[in-house]
């Protein structure tokens, strides 16, 4: 019997094409969601006289997380109003500890946590109370990078810390890009900008001199979104294909339409969608098909 032999190169090409076809038909990853809380800022309502209102708001937020079961919760800074205040820190940690053990909670350092002009001492105190001030984490198809934006905003007294974080960030972004991370998201307290990426410097954004170089890094790394707080109201903008999402507080709100609340962010294969909910309109469930 005569057996026809297939050339090795043709066989390899056929197998490669078949494998590619199987990959193309692979099911998409299931969508999931996370919650962003920002600025619980224990003590802000009464200028550090007490934190009764902050307790009510944050307990409601954590109870909501336990009910909705997000993939994770991230709190984007200003955990307390007065850096180093033992009572405020203890109350934040007491309530945060009520979160379901199956739900990771990620803290982000804010300017009220490490002071408006951070120092090595104030950052060390934050780390002792809350853990690292910059780090990465993974949740499904999302890779999160947490930054201490205060040392970027005001590096004068903490230049070495700012330089060290930048060096670390460059390495992390290179690794994440090489790994093919599907959704690369930066979490920090200060918004990089509120309306346009070249807007003038103000209290609520990162100074342009440093903003532009970081935004270039994020674009090169394929970052999908920049998620922040600090503004005590909501703002959404873009730079290139990157979303700049600024979320109002779970604590005391500011502005013409003051609302305390949280943001729900849905993660799908094709990107992120999000909505801010005030504490008065918290959803019963999260519809993962909603845009």
């Amino acid at each position: 019997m005569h057996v026809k032999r297939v050339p090795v190169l043709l066989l390899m090409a056929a197998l490669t094409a078949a494998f590619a076809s199987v990959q193309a038909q692979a099911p998409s990853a299931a969508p999931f969601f996370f919650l962003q809380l920002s600025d619980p800022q224990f003590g802000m309502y009464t200028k550090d006289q007490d934190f009764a209102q902050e307790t009510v708001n944050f307990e409601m937020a954590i109870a909501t997380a336990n009910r909705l079961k997000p993939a994770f919760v991230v709190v984007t800074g200003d955990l307390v109003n007065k850096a180093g205040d033992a009572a405020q820190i203890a109350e934040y940690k007491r309530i945060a500890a009520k979160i379901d053990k199956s739900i990771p909670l990620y803290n982000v350092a804010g300017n009220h946590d490490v002071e408006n002009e951070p120092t090595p001492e104030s950052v060390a105190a934050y780390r002792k109370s809350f853990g690292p001030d910059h780090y990465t984490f993974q949740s499904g198809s999302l890779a999160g990078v947490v930054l201490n934006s205060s040392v970027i905003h005001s590096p004068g007294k903490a230049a070495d810390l700012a330089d060290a974080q930048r060096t670390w960030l460059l390495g992390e972004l290179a690794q994440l890009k090489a790994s093919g991370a599907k959704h690369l998201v930066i979490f920090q307290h200060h918004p990089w900008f509120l309306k346009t990426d070249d807007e003038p410097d103000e209290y609520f954004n990162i100074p342009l001199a440093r903003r532009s170089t970081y935004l270039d890094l994020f674009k090169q790394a394929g970052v999908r979104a920049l998620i922040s707080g600090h503004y005590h109201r909501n703002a959404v903008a873009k730079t290139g294909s990157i979303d700049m999402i600024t979320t109002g507080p779970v604590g005391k709100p500011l502005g013409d339409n003051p609302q305390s609340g949280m943001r729900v962010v849905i993660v799908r294969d094709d990107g992120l969608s999000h909505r801010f909910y005030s504490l008065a309109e918290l959803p019963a469930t999260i519809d993962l098909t909603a845009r």
Side-chain angles (χ1 to χ4, degrees):
M1 182 175 74
H2 176 69
V3 178
K4 184 176 181 180
R5 296 184 180 276
V6 179
V8 173
L9 290 177
L10 290 177
L11 179 60
M12 290 178 64
L15 289 174
T16 300
F19 180 67
S21 176
V22 170
Q23 281 190 314
Q25 296 172 18
S28 299
F32 64 93
F33 75 97
F34 66 88
L35 299 182
Q36 180 207 0
L37 313 179
S38 199
D39 301 86
Q41 207 158 332
F42 282 78
M44 182 178 177
Y45 272 100
T46 61
K47 299 181 179 179
D48 302 321
Q49 297 304 303
D50 64 53
F51 37 72
Q53 186 64 59
E54 288 88 354
T55 290
V56 171
N57 288 19
F58 196 47
E59 284 189 328
M60 182 181 291
I62 294 300
T64 300
N66 288 340
R67 176 172 58 81
L68 294 177
K69 297 292 190 294
F72 64 89
V73 173
V74 58
V75 187
T76 47
D78 281 1
L79 315 181
V80 300
N81 192 56
K82 185 178 180 181
D85 186 281
Q88 293 177 6
I89 291 170
E91 183 70 346
Y92 173 84
K93 294 173 74 173
R94 180 187 72 81
I95 299 170
K98 293 183 177 184
I99 197 163
D100 190 293
K101 301 305 179 188
S102 67
I103 305 171
L105 187 148
Y106 300 110
N107 291 320
V108 179
N111 58 300
H112 280 267
D113 304 312
V114 297
E115 301 179 356
N116 282 326
E117 294 186 60
T119 64
E121 293 76 19
S122 67
V123 173
Y126 172 88
R127 291 172 177 170
K128 183 177 180 180
S129 293
F130 298 108
D133 64 317
H134 59 275
Y135 56 94
T136 61
F137 66 88
Q138 190 83 28
S139 182
S141 59
L142 183 146
V145 179
V146 171
L147 296 178
N148 180 348
S149 61
S150 293
V151 300
I152 301 171
H153 184 280
S154 302
K157 297 179 181 179
D160 289 347
L161 293 178
D163 290 344
Q165 179 178 250
R166 180 181 170 85
T167 299
W168 168 87
L169 175 64
L170 290 171
E172 292 297 312
L173 290 177
Q175 289 184 16
L176 290 169
K177 184 177 182 180
S179 73
K182 184 82 172 178
H183 303 291
L184 179 52
V185 178
I186 308 293
F187 297 96
Q188 70 286 315
H189 180 60
H190 295 76
W192 295 94
F193 57 95
L194 296 170
K195 295 180 179 179
T196 62
D197 58 13
D198 61 350
E199 68 193 20
D201 297 352
E202 60 158 282
Y203 174 77
F204 287 112
N205 62 21
I206 296 289
L208 185 58
R210 291 178 288 284
R211 181 196 318 161
S212 57
T213 59
Y214 276 89
L215 293 180
D216 286 344
L217 290 177
F218 298 150
K219 290 172 183 176
Q220 293 167 14
V223 169
R224 287 290 190 99
L226 310 167
I227 299 182
S228 70
H230 186 54
Y231 192 42
H232 287 259
R233 64 212 98 180
N234 293 291
V236 178
K238 288 185 85 73
T239 177
S241 62
I242 302 176
D243 291 322
M244 176 69 251
I245 302 165
T246 301
T247 294
V250 69
K252 182 179 179 178
L254 301 174
D256 297 331
N257 181 30
Q259 291 183 314
S260 302
M262 64 183 71
R263 189 172 299 277
V264 174
V265 183
I266 299 175
V267 182
R268 303 184 185 83
D269 273 359
D270 61 353
L272 311 180
S273 61
H274 53 91
R275 176 181 168 183
F276 181 84
Y277 292 88
S278 75
L279 295 182
E281 59 168 0
L282 294 172
T285 59
I286 302 301
D287 179 3
L288 294 178
T289 67
R291 294 282 175 175

